[in-house]
Amino acid sequence: MISVIDSIGLSVIKTVIMVRDFVVLTLRTLVYTFTPPFRVSDIFKQLYFVINESAPIVIFCVCSAAAVTIIESSFHMKIIIQNDALVPGFAALLILRELGAVVSALLVTSRVGAGIAAEVGTMQITEQIDALKMLGINPIRFLVVPRLIASVIGGVVLSILANLVCLYVAMLVSQYKLGHSAGSFIVAMRAFVSMQDLYFAAIKGACFGFVIPLVSCYFGFRCKAGAEGVGLATTNSVVTISISIITIDFILSWIFSYFY
Amino acid sequence: MSATVEFQNVQMSFEEDVLLKNINFQIHKGEKFVLIGPSGEGKSVLLKLMAGILKPSEGKILIEGHDMWNCLPKDRLALLRKMGMLFQKNALFDSLTVGENVAFPMREITQKSEQEIQKQVKYFLQEVDILHALELFPDEISGGMQKRLGIARALALEPGIIFYDDPTAGLDPITSRMIVELILRLQKELNSTIIAITNDMNRAYQMADRMAMVVDGELIITGNVGETQQHKDPRVVQFIHGYLKGPLTEHTEVNA
Ligand SMILES: Nc1ncnc2c1ncn2[C@@H]1O[C@H](COP(=O)(O)OP(=O)(O)OP(=O)(O)O)[C@@H](O)[C@H]1O
Ligand SMILES: [Mg+2]
């Protein structure tokens, strides 16, 4: 009994310490983000990495998601209300408010988040981070800040891209599959969504993009020696980011609901 | 004259575990100081404390009389520039080529022109005899060449104090010997202070002016090569001769 309480207590303490360390990392990163020197070329390099690595898979997956959304919703609407005139509106609502931002963020997590955790973790266990410190280079400024800025910008860009591609594909699918013309799709869609929804999707993209590199770098810096260490850092960061994205999505959707 | 490296009552703990306690010693300019000791006793940690990578839990570490953890950022940077290190795991930047690895410290913290940097890179790579690998990446060259590259990068800022963490680990006897010869030649050329870790006793004797052993959280200064070989401490005796029985293996099965 005592040992159970002990181990619960221990894991609570460990969690508290981890959260504290993560908050410290976040605050320090923010301070360095807004104070010189700025490593502009590193930011562009990272931005290229984020967009170049993620855009193809985001576009591919979002196309499938769009097709599924249209086909599924028309199937069910036909059963329930014997009519699929509302499909474009509901599909656009679902895409703009949830699918576009979340699907693209989860894909960026699996590609970029995992990549950063593995890279930083490897640098930690092969003493590359110590080598930076010895040159008086701050690892947070050198590694985290450029990735954070790139990921926030990339998050916004990819979220908007995902949404637009997704809507376009949804329109094509409903044209060929359901016989809605492009014009009627847009008219039906406009009744449900507005430009504001796209802005909110961009805000979601920025918030998800903010979390991804911070969590990945956090686990990378804590990486323990050995190949399992890097594997564990990568897995932990992908799991943690995915849970965070879903949670943040819920919170943001709730906040945005006051503006609709 | 003050010592090049001086430890005053240094203690180092990770979380609650005390790894090194009450360490006091001095290393003088131009000296070749070799650290030995069993695995996991804190040799690398001791070196990283000297190099300013780790901060001591207690006590003071002075480099040329200045306390690195208690001075202005620009003085700290100046102290860091006086030191170079070959890391146990090499710490080569794997996204940069051999040449870029050597150029990295110069690009990051000096005002040298690109032309000057290229000239220096060629010079250092020539010194360690891997100029032909200039354009390759660290994982495309052999272990011995990686050590040479690590040495070239450690020298890039022309530091007065150079740390070598296990420079011969994982190398064959001949390559080990060549690396040690290289370290000694560079030490003579640059008149630098070197602090090296090695558990290859022959290489240790070849390099050392003075030796010390890290064990049980202590640093035992064993003296010069002759003194070390005649040392009375049973832990030192066991270690340098590699005996299976003795105080170092008291708690392992070998003695039971
Ligand atoms: N940054 C760190 N955080 C926590 N513990 C550490 C850290 N660095 C080293 N240690 C611990 O300190 C102990 C000594 O490590 P160190 O690398 O100095 O050993 P060593 O004497 O160099 O051994 P080896 O000969 O195998 O290289 C180890 O138990 C290690 O786990
Ligand atoms: Mg070591």
Side-chain angles (χ1 to χ4, degrees), chain B residues 134-166:
Chain B
L134 185 70
E135 302 288 340
L136 298 179
F137 285 91
D139 56 5
E140 296 171 339
I141 61 179
S142 69
M145 284 163 80
Q146 289 178 356
K147 291 285 176 202
R148 288 170 187 270
L149 172 54
I151 294 174
R153 192 182 65 183
L155 296 176
L157 297 173
E158 302 172 64
I161 309 167
I162 307 172
F163 305 105
Y164 292 100
D165 193 346
D166 221 345

Side-chain angles (χ1 to χ4, degrees), chain A residues 8-260:
Chain A
I8 293 176
L10 208 65
S11 41
V12 169
I13 292 172
K14 269 191 189 153
T15 314
V16 170
I17 291 176
M18 282 176 76
V19 171
R20 182 203 62 189
D21 290 349
F22 180 75
V23 171
V24 170
L25 174 69
T26 306
L27 294 179
R28 290 182 61 190
T29 307
L30 282 175
V31 170
Y32 296 141
T33 302
F34 295 105
T35 51
F38 303 108
R39 307 187 67 98
V40 179
S41 67
D42 284 353
I43 296 173
F44 279 108
K45 220 161 43 186
Q46 291 303 325
L47 187 59
Y48 175 78
F49 173 74
V50 170
I51 295 191
N52 189 44
E53 290 289 318
S54 317
I57 48 171
V58 166
I59 290 173
F60 177 79
C61 293
V62 137
C63 289
S64 317
V68 171
T69 311
I70 294 294
I71 293 167
E72 282 292 322
S73 53
S74 95
F75 177 77
H76 291 285
M77 281 195 192
K78 272 187 186 150
I79 292 180
I80 298 168
I81 56 174
Q82 282 83 41
N83 180 334
D84 61 9
L86 292 177
V87 167
F90 275 119
L93 198 66
L94 186 63
I95 288 168
L96 277 175
R97 295 212 176 149
E98 290 301 325
L99 271 185
V102 175
V103 168
S104 59
L106 290 175
L107 291 169
V108 173
T109 304
S110 66
R111 194 67 203 82
V112 177
I116 294 176
E119 185 187 10
V120 175
T122 306
M123 292 187 76
Q124 176 66 46
I125 62 171
T126 57
E127 301 179 306
Q128 291 177 51
I129 298 205
D130 288 337
L132 292 176
K133 286 186 192 162
M134 219 184 147
L135 292 172
I137 297 172
N138 184 315
I140 296 181
R141 204 186 268 291
F142 187 79
L143 295 171
V144 190
V145 172
R147 283 166 180 74
L148 181 78
I149 297 174
S151 176
V152 169
I153 299 173
V156 172
V157 171
L158 288 168
S159 174
I160 293 176
L161 179 75
N163 277 301
L164 296 181
V165 170
C166 201
L167 284 176
Y168 182 68
V169 174
M171 190 179 80
L172 290 185
V173 173
S174 60
Q175 202 170 344
Y176 289 107
K177 193 87 179 126
L178 313 180
H180 294 289
S181 72
S184 72
F185 183 93
I186 291 171
V187 170
M189 182 181 100
R190 291 288 304 180
F192 282 77
V193 297
S194 65
M195 222 31 209
Q196 184 182 269
D197 290 292
L198 192 62
Y199 299 149
F200 284 159
I203 294 174
K204 278 188 181 178
C207 293
F208 300 151
F210 182 80
V211 176
I212 293 170
L214 283 173
V215 175
S216 294
C217 289
Y218 172 76
F219 282 106
F221 283 139
R222 288 164 46 97
C223 187
K224 294 276 182 299
E228 326 87 274
V230 177
L232 204 62
T234 311
T235 314
N236 282 340
S237 56
V238 171
V239 172
T240 311
I241 297 168
S242 304
I243 296 173
S244 313
I245 286 178
I246 305 290
T247 315
I248 293 170
D249 181 53
F250 163 68
I251 296 170
L252 288 178
S253 297
W254 195 41
I255 295 173
F256 293 160
S257 71
Y258 289 103
F259 295 88
Y260 295 137

Side-chain angles (χ1 to χ4, degrees), chain B residues 14 19 38-45 88 199:
Chain B
F14 289 110
L19 183 65
S39 188
E41 294 282 340
K43 301 183 297 296
S44 296
V45 169
Q88 187 165 17
N199 279 332

Side-chain angles (χ1 to χ4, degrees), chain B residues 219-232:
Chain B
L219 182 78
I220 309 169
I221 306 277
T222 57
N224 64 26
V225 173
E227 288 162 352
T228 303
Q229 285 166 333
Q230 303 300 320
H231 207 269
K232 292 285 179 289

